[in-house]
Amino acid sequence: KQWYQRRVAITAGGDYGAYATNSLRLEKGFRGWGSEMNLDKNPFEAGLGPFVKTNKKTSFIGQEACKELLGKELKTKLVALTVDTHGYLDPEGNETIWFDNKVVGNTTSGAWSYNKNTSICMAYLPPGDLAELGSNVYVELLGKRYKATVVNDPMYETEAVRTRNALKQAQLQA
């Protein structure tokens, strides 16, 4: 559906824009270099652990560092958030996240979600209770704090993910 809408916009000569693309990226849980992925975070904190194969026969740059990180506790965890801004403004990245009047993290990028009909963002939070599904924190936007809730990442499953999940479910029932 989203691809079709995008294709229609391009065919009609319209520019669907970087903001819409960013919104779709966030809904699908795609990380962006320089925001969710950067030199300050490791692949495990960014939720990319399943894609890091430390036991490959062919070595790769950073393989030993990744092996060392496997046994260590995460310092932060990337999560997806919905933000209750009542549609007035959206997070864009680098906003402060508060809990119990203490700074606990920061957003990495954000946008309006047309599928969820709310503001969404990705953010780094301390691992544990705050990073669990359904946890509530507050995102500071223009000096005001807005309630945010940790939600599933990805918020919108791609067709490949839906197919893979359906196959797993069928195997469990067999």
Side-chain angles (χ1 to χ4, degrees):
K1 181 181 176 184
Q2 290 174 347
W3 169 250
Y4 176 76
Q5 291 169 344
R6 181 175 150 213
R7 188 75 183 146
V8 168
I10 293 169
T11 306
D15 179 14
Y16 58 92
Y19 194 80
T21 303
N22 192 47
S23 176
L24 296 173
R25 175 186 74 80
L26 292 168
E27 289 175 349
K28 291 182 177 183
F30 291 179
R31 277 73 168 137
W33 178 251
S35 49
E36 287 78 35
M37 301 180 296
N38 58 50
L39 297 176
D40 295 329
K41 305 296 179 190
N42 67 57
F44 304 104
E45 292 173 328
L48 298 173
F51 303 103
V52 178
K53 306 297 180 202
T54 58
N55 57 353
K56 286 177 78 170
K57 293 178 185 172
T58 307
S59 63
F60 59 89
I61 296 172
Q63 185 174 22
E64 291 305 315
C66 285
K67 283 182 181 178
E68 288 179 26
L69 289 171
L70 280 175
K72 294 185 179 177
E73 191 172 316
L74 296 177
K75 294 178 184 174
T76 61
K77 181 180 177 184
L78 187 67
V79 299
L81 298 171
T82 56
V83 186
D84 188 14
T85 63
H86 311 292
Y88 296 123
L89 69 157
D90 303 315
E92 294 180 358
N94 293 320
E95 289 92 6
T96 304
I97 298 181
W98 295 84
F99 180 77
D100 200 22
N101 284 321
K102 294 179 185 155
V103 174
V104 294
N106 67 289
T107 64
T108 56
S109 51
W112 177 260
S113 169
Y114 298 93
N115 287 311
K116 298 289 184 184
N117 201 32
T118 189
S119 291
I120 60 172
C121 66
M122 300 290 274
Y124 278 103
L125 292 176
D129 292 342
L130 285 182
E132 295 297 321
L133 283 178
S135 295
N136 292 312
V137 292
Y138 290 87
V139 176
E140 184 174 340
L141 300 167
L142 300 176
K144 186 175 177 187
R145 296 179 192 174
Y146 294 88
K147 186 177 179 180
T149 304
V150 177
V151 295
N152 283 327
D153 177 26
M155 296 176 216
Y156 178 85
E157 293 181 341
T158 61
E159 184 176 344
V161 172
R162 288 191 306 268
T163 302
R164 187 171 45 243
N165 288 343
L167 289 172
K168 284 181 185 177
Q169 190 66 25
Q171 288 174 348
L172 289 174
Q173 292 176 353

